[in-house]
Amino acid sequence: MTNPSPEPASTPGAIAQFFDFEGLKTNLRTEIIAGITTFITMGYILVVNPGILSAAIFLQESGDLFGELVVATGISAMIATLIMGIVAKYPIALAPGMGLNAFFAYSVVLELGIDWRVALAAVFIEGLIFIGLTLTNFRAAIITAIPECLKRSVAAGIGLFIAYIALSGNPEFGGAGIIVSSEATITTLGNLGQPETLMAIAGIVITSAFVARRVKGGLLWGILATAILGWILQISPAPQGIVGLPIWPKDLLGQAFVGLGQIGSAGIANFLAVLFVFLFVDLFDTIGTLSGIGIQAGYIDEEGKLPRANQALLADAIGTTAGALLGTSTVTSYIESASGISEGGRSGFAAVVSAGCFFLSIFFIPLISAIPGYATAPALVIVGVLMMGSVTGIRWSDPAESIPCFLTILLMPLTYSIAEGLAVGFIMYPLMKAFQGKAHEVNWVIWLLAAIFVARFVLLGLGIA
């Protein structure tokens, strides 16, 4: 008599085994909450990215492809995030990058006059180049070469950066408005009589209370509670609907290929310059984000390596390539993923959940677009608090660590760029080591990158780059 074949594992059990819940000390509920939290925290991109790109990508008039751009944004984010979750098994979500989308629309298309199809071709080529650099281990080598102290400063700098973004959101468009521009002092405290600003402050208090009480999913509940309160008080408009049929991006699909045939019309020099900027900013934004989030989540090992770094970078590269074919700008890893990690997300299943949310979101744009910026701002502030904890691992008594790390942390929010803060850290670290007579302790990759950054800043100073 033969033994009966074993019963198939249940779906949750199979998921737990594939994503190693036990080894990561997590569970299905935690990963689901983390994935949803990350999505809600960065869900604004589904409305903001199409809004920015609509100024440059259109057929007859600005905004006529907004609906198609929403779908392109959601699907490209879903593809990249799904690859990150299943292949790299990290709880990191990806989507078209802020800053890069503005550069695409305002600098490349509107200022330089390059056709948006040619600009998409540049993004497409960038993605292919990144796939090649990833397969040759070049990008992973850079992550490994970054000193531990700089990785920690990147995490802290990102924390300050996202908190600064959250607090400085324009209240006229539903942002927090707690930090505003000032001609006298550059920035100053916002108008505390502004309803959106008061809601942001109330949201910080509500979310902080959830976190202090260690409520599971506190950031998510804080976002929802603040949004609902804003709708009830009529500070921001309540959703006009729940579900809406998505508009398939038929006018965007494959236009990058059309752009490849039009590169000559843009001028080879202009095209290469645009391609270089896309490559440069995306490369170091992604490296900075992965390093910072890796430190926060405890992924970086004793040798300073990020396990499965190539798989994580491949998700970014494939996402960019697919995004260009769908009709959107560069796809990159999002620092808002830290919100899900703060909720306990540790496995790739959180990213799978986020990817699923991105797919479903294209059917719920009326609801998602109604969540105001002041509702997500408190969650990002708390994430900033949590990420600042990484500074305890920096040896502040050693100038070779403290000065580069301080400048990295300071300049990320002040320059509004992860890449710029990281660049200064890359330059100052080997210099400080050299001043101490310890130049031999610096990895040659760091010296090479420092030279590249110096050359870039020189070109910027000369008005060439």
Side-chain angles (χ1 to χ4, degrees):
M1 180 175 174
T2 59
N3 293 326
S5 56
E7 294 182 3
S10 64
T11 300
I15 291 173
Q17 184 175 8
F18 180 80
F19 290 102
D20 191 22
F21 284 178
E22 183 177 353
L24 295 171
K25 298 180 180 179
T26 186
N27 56 62
L28 188 66
R29 179 178 181 275
T30 297
E31 296 300 305
I32 291 174
I33 290 176
I36 295 174
T37 300
T38 291
F39 167 75
I40 289 185
T41 306
M42 63 183 285
Y44 65 86
I45 197 64
L46 289 160
V47 177
V48 175
N49 188 59
I52 291 174
L53 294 182
S54 286
I57 299 179
F58 56 86
L59 298 178
Q60 302 298 329
E61 60 182 1
S62 177
D64 62 10
L65 291 179
F66 182 88
E68 294 190 24
L69 285 166
V70 170
V71 176
T73 300
I75 293 179
S76 62
M78 178 201 71
I79 292 172
T81 304
L82 194 61
I83 294 172
M84 178 68 78
I86 294 177
V87 179
K89 297 186 179 179
Y90 284 129
I92 298 173
L94 301 90
M98 290 295 293
L100 283 165
N101 53 8
F103 174 74
F104 179 104
Y106 302 121
S107 297
V108 177
V109 178
L110 298 181
E111 184 177 341
L112 293 178
I114 294 177
D115 187 88
W116 59 268
R117 298 168 185 82
V118 177
L120 286 176
V123 176
F124 177 68
I125 294 174
E126 173 209 349
L128 294 178
I129 292 174
F130 273 163
I131 290 175
L133 292 177
T134 301
L135 295 177
T136 56
N137 294 326
F138 178 77
R139 296 173 83 192
I142 295 177
I143 293 180
T144 302
I146 299 175
E148 178 73 12
C149 64
L150 282 184
K151 287 191 177 84
R152 293 186 173 277
S153 68
V154 166
I158 289 173
L160 285 181
F161 182 37
I162 60 178
Y164 180 73
I165 291 173
L167 296 178
S168 61
N170 191 335
E172 294 183 6
F173 299 99
I178 295 176
I179 297 174
V180 297
S181 62
S182 167
E183 292 185 3
T185 60
I186 304 178
T187 60
T188 189
L189 184 66
N191 179 8
L192 297 184
Q194 189 88 11
E196 291 83 2
T197 302
L198 291 175
M199 282 303 307
I201 294 172
I204 292 173
V205 174
I206 292 170
T207 307
S208 298
F210 282 132
V211 173
R213 297 295 299 178
R214 301 189 184 281
V215 174
K216 202 68 175 176
L219 297 183
L220 174 59
W221 300 128
I223 292 171
L224 296 177
T226 307
I228 292 171
L229 183 61
W231 295 336
I232 292 173
L233 298 176
Q234 298 184 340
I235 293 172
S236 55
Q240 297 301 307
I242 303 296
V243 179
L245 289 175
I247 304 173
W248 186 248
K250 57 182 176 59
D251 297 305
L252 299 174
L253 282 173
Q255 290 302 304
F257 291 136
V258 176
L260 289 174
Q262 300 175 349
I263 292 176
S265 64
I268 298 299
N270 282 339
F271 182 82
L272 291 177
V274 168
L275 178 60
F276 174 79
V277 172
F278 279 138
L279 280 167
F280 178 86
V281 176
D282 187 25
L283 174 64
F284 290 101
D285 265 5
T286 301
I287 288 174
T289 300
L290 289 178
S291 296
I293 290 177
I295 284 289
Q296 183 201 5
Y299 297 135
I300 305 293
D301 62 24
E302 296 178 355
E303 298 179 0
K305 294 181 179 180
L306 177 69
R308 306 182 303 283
N310 273 342
Q311 290 92 323
L313 293 167
L314 192 62
D316 173 279
I318 294 175
T320 292
T321 307
L325 295 178
L326 286 164
T328 187
S329 53
T330 303
V331 173
T332 188
S333 300
Y334 258 62
I335 53 179
E336 283 86 348
S337 302
S339 63
I341 291 173
S342 298
E343 289 294 349
R346 288 296 180 272
S347 80
F349 188 69
V352 172
V353 172
S354 296
C357 288
F358 272 115
F359 175 73
L360 294 175
S361 67
I362 65 177
F363 299 95
F364 293 90
I365 292 300
L367 175 62
I368 293 170
S369 61
I371 297 177
Y374 62 71
T376 59
L380 296 180
V381 171
I382 300 301
V383 169
V385 172
L386 298 174
M387 295 190 74
M388 279 299 295
S390 64
V391 300
T392 57
I394 298 173
R395 294 185 298 172
W396 293 102
S397 59
D398 182 359
E401 288 196 13
S402 60
I403 293 175
C405 290
F406 176 77
L407 290 174
T408 300
I409 294 170
L410 180 68
L411 290 175
M412 280 190 186
L414 295 187
T415 61
Y416 218 76
S417 170
I418 296 173
E420 301 295 2
L422 191 59
V424 173
F426 269 125
I427 293 171
M428 288 301 298
Y429 181 80
L431 285 179
M432 294 302 299
K433 282 291 188 179
F435 295 154
Q436 290 182 333
K438 300 177 181 178
H440 61 280
E441 295 182 1
V442 180
N443 190 297
W444 68 269
V445 174
I446 300 299
W447 281 111
L448 175 61
L449 292 174
I452 292 173
F453 281 123
V454 168
R456 174 176 174 270
F457 284 136
V458 169
L459 292 175
L460 284 173
L462 296 175
I464 299 174

